[in-house]
């Protein structure tokens, strides 16, 4: 109980906890100023002046705060697809379990119980980790807002290790299967035939294919064509948007010459068009 200072992200925060009432305020990058504010608040509390709590929000339910977190953080800081994924996790796994619970009454054991319940449903390890990641992010923001003091979802990743893992091994198309696939593409969706052809010739993944720009295509001598490498772009949430990258030599991912021979620098394999 009292007034404490904490530094986060280069800024100082004043946290007040007085008889169950909590308040947090960012006072900037100056520790001297933060100390001054702390002393002033301590003096007011000693005199029984509780005016600073007049605008403190009542204890929120997890569901209402999760909605606020989605609107004010995820939808602002993250890509649309990432925010949509967070919303799906909340609706499917978190809200049914914690929706009406007061945010400051969710404890560490409650999060462990959630992890165990998801594992018992035989969900994949990635799914369980995603649920844990989202609820941990929500509580991190709640700490910054002064609603809670600790994150009950922190450092629980080790409890997801017993979840099942799905191993999916890719199976390459044979030359005849590749030709059959391309022929079907010409007949059914000719507008996508160049995309599928590039996928087979260059070995690009889906994210790399949709990110290819005309500037990435380089035409060389002897009717050779190559796809140049580009670095990934990063969002404020730390997620990256794939661009053709890393799978190359001297800026080329794949070469196709006039006789139909191709060379993949990832696998060092040369083949001819069927």
């Amino acid at each position: 109980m009292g007034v404490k200072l904490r530094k986060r992200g280069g800024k100082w925060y004043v946290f007040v906890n007085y008889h169950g009432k909590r308040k947090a305020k960012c006072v900037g990058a100056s520790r001297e100023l933060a100390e001054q504010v702390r002393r002033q608040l301590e003096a007011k509390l000693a005199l029984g002046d509780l005016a600073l709590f007049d605008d403190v929000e009542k204890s929120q339910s997890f569901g209402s705060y999760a909605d606020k977190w989605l609107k004010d953080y995820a939808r602002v800081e993250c890509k649309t697809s990432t925010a949509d994924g967070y919303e799906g996790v909340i609706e499917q796994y978190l809200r049914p379990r914690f929706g009406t619970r007061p945010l400051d009454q969710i404890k560490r054991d409650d999060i462990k119980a959630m992890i165990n319940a998801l594992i018992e449903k035989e969900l994949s390890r990635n799914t369980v980790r995603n649920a844990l990641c989202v609820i941990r992010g929500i509580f991190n923001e709640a700490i910054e807002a002064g609603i809670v003091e600790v994150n009950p979802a922190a450092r629980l990743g080790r409890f997801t290790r017993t979840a099942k893992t799905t191993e999916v091994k890719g199976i390459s198309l044979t030359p005849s299967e590749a030709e059959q696939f391309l022929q079907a593409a010409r007949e059914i969706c000719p507008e996508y035939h160049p995309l599928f052809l590039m996928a087979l010739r260059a070995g690009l993944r889906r994210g790399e294919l949709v990110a290819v720009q005309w500037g990435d295509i380089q035409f060389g001598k002897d009717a050779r064509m190559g796809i140049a490498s580009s670095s990934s772009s990063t969002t404020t949430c730390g997620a990256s948007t794939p661009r053709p990258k890393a799978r190359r030599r001297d800026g080329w991912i794949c070469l196709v010459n006039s006789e139909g021979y191709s060379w993949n620098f990832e696998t060092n394999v040369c083949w001819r068009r069927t």
Side-chain angles (χ1 to χ4, degrees), residues 18-19 28 30-31 47 68 92 107 146 162-163 170 175 180 188:
Y18 185 79
H19 295 299
S30 171
R31 176 165 186 168
L47 295 173
K68 184 176 185 299
Q92 191 168 1
K107 306 302 181 184
T162 57
Q180 184 178 3
I188 298 174

Side-chain angles (χ1 to χ4, degrees), residues 9 49 62 64 71 81 100 158 161 169 192 199 206 213 221 228 234 252 255:
D49 184 356
F62 176 85
S64 63
K71 178 183 177 181
S81 58
T100 59
R158 64 184 184 278
R161 294 173 184 169
K169 295 183 178 180
Y192 288 107
R206 181 175 60 180
Q213 308 273 329
K221 297 179 180 180
T234 303
W252 302 93
L255 294 178

Side-chain angles (χ1 to χ4, degrees), residues 18 40-50:
Y18 185 79
Q40 291 174 352
L41 291 176
E42 286 178 336
K44 289 184 178 181
L45 292 177
L47 295 173
D49 184 356
L50 305 182

Side-chain angles (χ1 to χ4, degrees), residues 141-254:
E141 289 298 310
I143 290 175
E144 296 291 344
I147 299 175
V148 297
E149 292 185 339
V150 297
N151 191 331
R155 299 183 298 278
L156 291 180
R158 64 184 184 278
F159 293 101
T160 67
R161 294 173 184 169
T162 57
K164 69 176 184 178
T165 58
T166 304
E167 295 185 1
V168 179
K169 295 183 178 180
I171 300 176
S172 302
L173 297 177
T174 64
S176 60
E177 289 172 339
E179 182 60 31
Q180 184 178 3
F181 172 77
L182 292 174
Q183 181 60 38
R186 292 190 193 97
E187 298 174 359
I188 298 174
C189 51
E191 67 276 16
Y192 288 107
H193 177 265
L195 182 72
F196 296 138
L197 179 63
M198 183 168 60
L200 289 172
R201 293 289 181 263
L204 301 183
R205 293 169 295 184
R206 181 175 60 180
E208 295 170 333
L209 285 168
V210 298
V212 168
Q213 308 273 329
W214 273 113
D216 299 324
I217 307 298
Q218 299 182 14
F219 295 94
K221 297 179 180 180
D222 301 326
R224 297 189 303 172
M225 181 187 74
I227 301 174
S229 169
S230 299
S231 59
S232 297
S233 60
T234 303
T235 68
T236 54
C237 276
S240 61
T241 302
R243 296 290 305 276
K245 60 179 181 179
R247 304 164 4 132
R248 70 195 193 284
R249 178 184 297 169
D250 295 332
W252 302 93
I253 291 177
C254 176

Side-chain angles (χ1 to χ4, degrees), residues 48-80:
D49 184 356
L50 305 182
L52 71 157
F53 292 109
D54 290 345
D55 61 344
V56 175
E57 298 181 18
K58 296 180 179 179
S59 181
Q60 300 184 58
S61 69
F62 176 85
S64 63
Y65 192 79
D67 292 337
K68 184 176 185 299
W69 177 81
L70 274 172
K71 178 183 177 181
D72 297 342
Y73 173 75
R75 294 292 178 189
V76 174
E77 300 292 340
C78 303
K79 295 189 300 184
T80 300

